[in-house]
Amino acid sequence: MIEMKILLLMSLFSVCMTDTSCGVLRSTDENEPEVLKEPFGAWPWHAAILSSTNELVASGSILSEWFVLTVAHVTFTTGTVQKTPNDLLIAMGIKELDDPQNYTRKSNVSSIIRYGGYSHRQGISDLALLKASNVIVFSVHISPICLWTNSEEAGAEMQRLQMSIVGWGHINGNSKQKIMLSEANVTLDNFEKCHDDLEAPSSTNYCFKSIGKHNICLESGIGGIYMKHRGTWYLKGMTTTKTFQKKSDASCEHHENLQYTELSMYHKWIEKHALPSKHNLLGIEDCGVGFYTDSTKQLMPPQQPWIAQLAYLFWGRFNVTDCHGVLIHPEFVVTSSKCTERRNYRVLLHVILGASAIGKDPYDTSRSNIQAIEISEHLFSKTSMTFEHGFDINVLRLARRADITDNVKPVCLPPKVESTPYYNMIAWNRRDEHPKQLKSPLMQAVPSEGCHSAFLKLGINFTAEEYLSCYEHCQISNATQTCVQEKPKSCMVPVSGGPLFYTKHDGVHTYTYLAGIRSFGPASCQDNIYEVFNDIISFREEIKELVVWKAWFDEDDDHVLHDFDDISHTVHFELDEEGNLVEENGREIVGNDDGDTIIQSNGGGKLRN
């Protein structure tokens, strides 16, 4: 519990450090240019990885207050024997290894995190994170580097951008000279040529053209590949070739292609361990985790342990489960605000976790893996009704923390906008018979202008469009491997508040992110209209502030236990397509909608919230 609170508080405080705090060069003199002329002044994020006897082992790149990225093979004594944290040191803010300054800092290593897919024999995925024993204090001489995001706008510029390899070596290759920090400028080469020379070609391994002559041999050339884009420096990759070749004229030249590991595929692995607030909005490391295989790639994992059901008491007699929720933290669930409005015919009783299907009895005692938890607080209750079509999110605080198990886990919340080829709405279909199983139709984003225009023709105006995003159904094209617009083969009208997800992977694990909560859309299979979701990114600051502060400062962790024997009598029921309660014989019980507001538009069609 204490560890979770510390992570959350650190996540909240990290708001004060903006993205521009990484990859920025600073000068000690206001009259001096931003970039100092000597190599040392330009690389405050470059660290030296030393042995326990202070001998140079490799280079590293500072990522955060605790972590430095280096290559995995230097964390082994042989191909398979691992070094311990006590075998390594981190030196930062240093130009000459034999001449540390008063601003130079050294740190022991408390742990080594090697990438799970690293292969010493094949030389692929050669990455490791070193955690410092003490927090790294940033200064003019010591600061973190940004991770390159491979943004589409910079894609056309990539071949023209100059990059620098930074490392230590002896002047003119003379081992009697001091070991100095230096750099070598490179450009991207055609990586198919590089693959010809590799034992195991990999889409994450790239090569450089000949680097040319230098008066400093980067004898421990293992280090970061840095590139500057629009005033900010980024870490693009890590070199994995061990040494440069020394020529007869005492200069250095690398005659073969220099191999490096491109980091874009490993961002999620790096962020999970070293930059948790960039991995998940709430800083929870183990969110949305599944296992990645070539067959699943970005497809949704088979289980959705973060999806919850909302259980109600209808008319004082019927136990009904008819709204989705999503667990974002052991103590908090996000859902549609319309699912939480108190109405005279229904009372929200519990959030049910761990159930992959909706049965006729939400409190089926034979399902020992479910957790039914009462709700202690509605965090957005005062603002959720401000907009009829624009603010449809509520965050529920559970009366006790959910027990995290294989079938109950929090999903990840995106801290930033990420590109993805498609999304999955994973929801229970209102039309299915009990037990209702989760369905997972593919969806793609629709430009907001066209979506808004289509709804205006139906007399529906978005009063707060910045909170909403539109999507349409799509199918994967075998020809292009992209998601193309296509009407779904089977009709689906989801139960209220259907969640929208996307996944990312790091080659070992997949990470599921919550992109949206369904606000409204087609009420029947005959309606040809877009699905509209509450955009989670638009609510990220509000969610983060509320959840982090509530979890940190509210110390009352008493569990409100639920005794199944105390539940009111459960009557088996069905919901018709209009959302009315009916008995199993089809006779209507209640004429009111179950809370999924059905909107009659001017055009005659219906929308279901």
Side-chain angles (χ1 to χ4, degrees), residues 59-98:
S59 294
S61 298
I62 302 171
L63 299 178
S64 69
E65 298 93 335
W66 290 101
F67 284 93
V68 172
L69 182 68
T70 187
V71 286
H73 73 257
V74 301
T75 67
F76 290 81
T77 56
T78 64
T80 58
V81 179
Q82 297 181 355
K83 293 179 180 179
T84 68
N86 293 334
D87 294 325
L88 298 173
L89 295 170
I90 304 170
M92 298 157 286
I94 189 167
K95 175 186 175 182
E96 298 179 12
L97 289 183
D98 298 328

Side-chain angles (χ1 to χ4, degrees), residues 206-225:
Y206 290 80
C207 293
F208 293 113
K209 292 180 178 178
S210 177
I211 294 176
K213 296 182 179 180
H214 295 274
N215 66 346
I216 296 183
C217 283
L218 301 182
E219 293 164 297
S220 187
I222 303 161
I225 312 300

Side-chain angles (χ1 to χ4, degrees), residues 63-67 129 269-276 285:
L63 299 178
S64 69
E65 298 93 335
W66 290 101
F67 284 93
L129 286 164
W269 172 76
I270 293 171
E271 290 174 349
K272 175 183 176 181
H273 296 288
L275 303 163
E285 288 185 11

Side-chain angles (χ1 to χ4, degrees), residues 10 256 311 387 448:
M10 289 173 61
E256 299 176 358
F387 309 111
S448 58

Side-chain angles (χ1 to χ4, degrees), residues 577-592:
E577 193 167 315
E578 298 297 320
N580 300 313
L581 285 172
V582 296
E583 290 181 342
E584 288 184 298
N585 60 14
R587 182 175 63 86
E588 183 176 309
I589 298 176
V590 183
N592 298 65

